[in-house]
Amino acid sequence: MERTVNCAVECINGCILGEDCPNKEYLAATSKFINDTPLDKMLEIAEEAVRKKRMQPPQWIIPDFPE
């Protein structure tokens, strides 16, 4: 039986599925990025992402009300 896990919620203290994790293919790339990228560069990437987000026009979310 394959278990569905919300990794963002359930794995905040580490992966709970271990070898069965469907996202383990990204582990090596993520570890390499963390080890090879200076903190200043990571902060620069984050600041650029925030800047781009702020430049986007607002998105209105109109809920569907039952009739």
Side-chain angles (χ1 to χ4, degrees), residues 1-7 10-11 14-24:
M1 177 175 88
E2 189 171 312
R3 180 175 171 197
T4 303
V5 174
N6 181 348
C7 296
E10 298 181 55
C11 298
C15 182
I16 62 173
L17 295 178
E19 287 299 314
D20 296 329
C21 179
N23 299 311
K24 68 181 177 183

Side-chain angles (χ1 to χ4, degrees), residues 5-50:
V5 174
N6 181 348
C7 296
V9 174
E10 298 181 55
C11 298
I12 58 172
N13 293 320
C15 182
I16 62 173
L17 295 178
E19 287 299 314
D20 296 329
C21 179
N23 299 311
K24 68 181 177 183
E25 64 186 82
Y26 303 108
L27 182 62
T30 303
S31 294
K32 181 173 177 12
F33 174 80
I34 290 171
N35 290 329
D36 295 350
T37 307
L39 182 57
D40 290 341
K41 181 65 176 172
M42 287 186 205
L43 292 173
E44 189 178 301
I45 293 168
E47 287 173 7
E48 179 67 17
V50 169

Side-chain angles (χ1 to χ4, degrees), residues 41-64:
K41 181 65 176 172
M42 287 186 205
L43 292 173
E44 189 178 301
I45 293 168
E47 287 173 7
E48 179 67 17
V50 169
R51 187 186 67 73
K52 284 182 181 178
K53 182 86 171 165
R54 286 188 180 149
M55 303 263 315
Q56 293 177 349
Q59 290 182 329
W60 295 94
I61 300 173
I62 301 172
D64 291 333

